[in-house]
Amino acid sequence: MQLARSRPEALWNDREMLGTSSEDGRAIRREAERVVNEVAQGLRTLDDGTTWFSALSVAGRQAVLQEVAGYAMQAHITTADGRTGVARSGVKPTANPSVMICMDPPRYWFSALPADEHVTAFRVLVSVFSVADTRRRQIYCKGTCGHTWHNLLPSVERP
């Protein structure tokens, strides 16, 4: 799922804050899109996705958290999706990211969390996105979906 930027200055501010070039930012977002959607579609495990995420720099993790929060917003997560996703994530329901995503309305500022909470935030966000995106694929895209991110093929090799 691609996150559309409505404000051109938002991307500049992200790069400025994160210290990444525009090419680095695009590469991280493309890779995040692939990894997150592979996890959501069961082509990659959450643990594999978390290993990939953990290897990123702090700035890279912040950029990915921002991207995945956008995916979750676009998937229109529900409170039920939040609870189900948190249960699947392996993260305690009382952890900050779990509480944030289960609020009504959910809070999405995961990239502002301290670096030591990035991995738990990623696990929660990807798990909740997976629940919501699966629901949406079954209801809205069943048999007729043209979204490239909903039609991934299993990879032979994964980094």
Side-chain angles (χ1 to χ4, degrees), residues 145-157:
C145 183
H147 298 119
T148 56
W149 58 87
H150 283 167
N151 294 293
L152 299 177
L153 298 173
S155 297
V156 176
E157 277 186 37

Side-chain angles (χ1 to χ4, degrees), residues 65 68-70 72-73 77-79 82 96-113 121 124-125 128:
L65 288 172
V68 181
M73 282 189 282
I77 64 169
T78 65
T79 305
N96 284 335
S98 300
V99 172
M100 289 166 56
I101 205 71
C102 289
M103 294 176 89
D104 189 17
R107 304 305 189 264
Y108 292 103
W109 41 270
F110 294 90
S111 62
L113 288 169
V124 166
L125 270 173
V128 173

Side-chain angles (χ1 to χ4, degrees), residues 4-5 11 14 22 40 42 67 69 79 81 86-89 91 94 103 108 117 125 132 134 137 140:
R5 297 276 184 179
L11 182 56
D14 293 348
S22 60
E67 193 75 6
T79 305
D81 295 337
V86 167
R88 289 184 187 179
S89 73
V91 175
T94 56
M103 294 176 89
Y108 292 103
E117 294 189 61
L125 270 173
T134 298
R137 276 185 280 121
Y140 301 109

Side-chain angles (χ1 to χ4, degrees), residues 9 24 29 47 101 122 137 157:
E9 72 275 5
D24 290 343
R29 285 191 295 279
D47 288 341
I101 205 71
F122 178 80
R137 276 185 280 121
E157 277 186 37

Side-chain angles (χ1 to χ4, degrees), residues 116-133:
D116 64 345
E117 294 189 61
H118 287 175
V119 170
T120 57
F122 178 80
R123 292 185 68 88
V124 166
L125 270 173
V126 171
S127 297
V128 173
F129 168 71
S130 179
V131 171
D133 193 55

